[in-house]
Amino acid sequence: MRWRLSASAACALVAAVLAAAQVLVAHRLGVNDWTVRGGSYAEYVDWDHPLTRSTWYPAASTLIASMITHRLFRRAPWSWRWLPPAAWLGSCLTAGPLLYGLASAAPEAGIGSGPSAAVRAVAVGGVIGLVAAMVALRRREAGAGLVTYILWVSLLEFARPWWWDRAPAFDPMLTEEVWAGGSGDRVVRASFLEAGGITAGLIGPVVVSGVVAVWAAARYGRRRSGVIAGVAGPLLLCSVYLTIDPGWGDQDSVQAALCWYAFLAVPIGLCSATIAATLAGAVARRVGADARRTR
């Protein structure tokens, strides 16, 4: 019992540090802005984006902290039952007060939202991370897929200040030619970067799903393992978006595009993971059979 309490305390501490670090770094970089304006003419303040991030940070922290502590304590039996709740508690104890303070300090309250909405988002995100952590600790291939996907989303999230307003010349789907105001010259601007980009929000997750599926299928020699690993990450992000208002009633809402990307990534990622896992499993079995014949 003492050993279990020590592991739970360590897990809660790791989750608390991860959650606080994400919130503070996002605030420092200006990623999680509580004055994001929405609507056709920026006529109201919309908190959909910061509330979505308030859900994502504790979810990611709970999952990663559970995985780290599980490894540090040498995969203790039945730890999938008691490590994730400890991580959820730790992430909520730090992310909740921090996000409540940031939301309270915002110049304007979001439509139908207040600082308490941030605390509710943290609690919901922690529960999502708790469920995902239980699955990850029970199925290693799912854990690999979830961790890889969290690292991908976190990379995009915290690198956003460097790519947000820059049109990537390598991807024509993200750019369009428009008339520059006053100069009369045609310039290229990013048409989908404000929505996270097709590359970042849809193509990237699908590629990540395929790569993880190949690794899991080759590692465990089963197509099912590859499919589980490939689709676990998109399901995690999709579950986060299901907890917030997608903004489909607003034709200019960026949040609606982000939700569509997250939803579409699930079936497309499932198809790519299935194909990739099937091919990888067949290759792994063929290599194993050749190795046995040569002995």
Side-chain angles (χ1 to χ4, degrees):
M1 180 60 67
R2 185 180 302 173
W3 182 87
R4 183 175 298 183
L5 289 175
S6 300
S8 299
C11 187
L13 180 61
V14 173
V17 171
L18 290 175
Q22 289 184 90
V23 172
L24 294 176
V25 171
H27 178 66
R28 179 66 179 85
L29 296 177
V31 173
N32 197 19
D33 189 358
W34 290 90
T35 58
V36 175
R37 292 188 175 273
S40 300
Y41 299 98
E43 62 221 10
Y44 63 87
V45 174
D46 185 3
W47 277 9
D48 285 343
H49 288 300
L51 288 179
T52 302
R53 292 184 174 91
S54 299
T55 307
W56 173 260
Y57 296 153
S61 302
T62 300
L63 174 62
I64 297 296
S66 299
M67 298 288 289
I68 291 174
T69 313
H70 182 66
R71 285 296 188 95
L72 289 177
F73 284 83
R74 300 179 181 179
R75 299 188 177 93
W78 304 103
S79 59
W80 64 274
R81 290 185 174 181
W82 42 270
L83 282 180
W88 170 79
L89 180 62
S91 63
C92 290
L93 287 178
T94 55
L98 286 173
L99 289 169
Y100 183 89
L102 293 174
S104 299
E108 300 177 70
I111 297 298
S113 300
S116 60
V119 178
R120 290 195 297 270
V122 169
V124 172
V127 171
I128 293 173
L130 185 153
V131 175
M134 287 184 170
V135 174
L137 295 183
R138 290 281 289 171
R139 301 293 297 262
R140 291 187 185 179
E141 61 271 30
L146 288 167
V147 170
T148 304
Y149 201 83
I150 285 176
L151 294 177
W152 164 258
V153 174
S154 298
L155 175 63
L156 294 178
E157 174 76 358
F158 295 109
R160 192 166 69 92
W162 290 272
W163 62 265
W164 181 259
D165 293 321
R166 303 175 185 179
F170 62 84
D171 194 339
M173 289 191 297
L174 298 183
T175 59
E176 63 179 353
E177 289 187 347
V178 296
W179 291 106
S183 65
D185 298 328
R186 295 184 70 85
V187 297
V188 176
R189 73 174 184 185
S191 59
F192 290 101
L193 279 185
E194 290 184 353
I198 293 178
T199 299
L202 186 58
I203 298 178
V206 171
V207 172
V208 171
S209 297
V211 171
V212 175
V214 169
W215 174 85
R219 169 83 178 249
Y220 298 101
R222 299 190 304 270
R223 182 183 67 175
R224 182 180 176 183
S225 297
V227 173
I228 292 174
V231 79
L235 281 175
L236 175 65
L237 186 59
C238 185
S239 64
V240 169
Y241 276 109
L242 285 173
T243 65
I244 51 91
D245 180 13
W248 287 329
D250 176 18
Q251 61 179 353
D252 293 333
S253 174
V254 174
Q255 192 72 18
L258 290 170
C259 287
W260 277 115
Y261 289 159
F263 296 158
L264 287 175
V266 174
I268 299 176
L270 176 62
C271 293
S272 65
T274 302
I275 295 172
T278 301
L279 295 176
V283 171
R285 288 192 296 271
R286 180 65 179 271
V287 171
D290 292 343
R292 286 190 295 272
R293 284 198 298 267
T294 56
R295 288 178 182 175

